[in-house]
Amino acid sequence: LTTDIANMARAFGLGSRTGIEIPENAGAIEDPGEQIAAVNQAIGQGDVLVTPLQVARFMAAIGNGGTMYRPQLIEKIVGANGETIESFAPEITGTLPIQPDRLKALQEAMKNVIFNSRGTAYFRLVQRANFSFPAAGKTGTAESNIPGSPHAWFAGYTYNNFNGMPDIAVAVIVEYV
């Protein structure tokens, strides 16, 4: 069906508000009316409007095994004496609709984006920046309002708490590259 891709994208949290405590744009994942529009949507082109926060949120879910969380700005409030005044627990909002073996294949493919010599981020991250900590990612482009000047995307996550640090998810856009 032409709506399968759109339904999966929405199930991954794309095209809807994340629930963060500040005003945000929902973006849009429209139901394509024909097969060519569905194909364009499958590669993130055409009528696909997502925010970097939505992308970082589903990257975190891919990295953590499938759990979707509501993004939050504050983990805890600490007084001048160092005592925690208030803390805010993570809030689970759903689970990615993906089978464990397919999630594992997706995680491996995203690691290869960075660490396989044929990966689209390998040259920039490993060869040029000497990137060496456990991470997985996805590169891409987005249309801009200036023809011939697309935006470059990188989204990904770290894993295995490298050097004892908490894992993170990111979504970065470089405009007009």
Side-chain angles (χ1 to χ4, degrees):
L1 295 171
T2 59
T3 58
D4 288 347
I5 298 296
N7 290 337
M8 183 62 82
R10 286 189 287 264
F12 272 61
L14 299 175
S16 62
R17 289 182 174 84
T18 65
I20 195 166
E21 302 98 337
I22 58 174
E24 65 178 317
N25 188 326
I29 301 293
E30 303 293 332
D31 286 336
E34 55 191 35
Q35 286 184 339
I36 189 68
V39 170
N40 280 335
Q41 191 175 64
I43 61 170
Q45 299 299 314
D47 294 332
V48 175
L49 295 173
V50 299
T51 68
L53 183 59
Q54 291 168 3
V55 173
R57 181 175 175 230
F58 96 76
M59 285 288 144
I62 290 169
N64 74 28
T67 303
M68 300 275 288
Y69 289 94
R70 181 181 61 82
Q72 60 188 58
L73 298 173
I74 301 171
E75 180 181 3
K76 63 183 172 181
I77 300 171
V78 178
N81 63 358
E83 185 177 318
T84 298
I85 297 170
E86 187 173 1
S87 61
F88 302 89
E91 179 185 331
I92 296 173
T93 60
T95 304
L96 295 179
I98 189 168
Q99 297 167 340
D101 59 325
R102 292 190 175 147
L103 179 60
K104 184 169 176 50
L106 182 57
Q107 291 167 334
E108 289 301 315
M110 290 177 65
K111 291 174 189 175
N112 285 330
V113 166
I114 297 173
F115 294 107
N116 185 299
S117 62
R118 295 183 305 169
T120 53
Y122 178 80
F123 177 74
R124 293 267 186 225
L125 294 179
V126 175
Q127 289 293 104
R128 294 196 65 199
N130 202 26
F131 189 88
S132 62
F133 54 88
K138 170 73 177 88
T139 63
T141 58
E143 297 172 17
S144 74
N145 56 352
I146 299 174
S149 297
H151 306 310
W153 275 80
F154 177 81
Y157 60 90
T158 63
Y159 58 92
N160 290 343
N161 299 108
F162 184 69
N163 285 342
M165 300 299 293
D167 289 321
I168 63 167
V170 299
V172 179
I173 300 173
V174 180
E175 296 182 310
Y176 309 116
V177 292

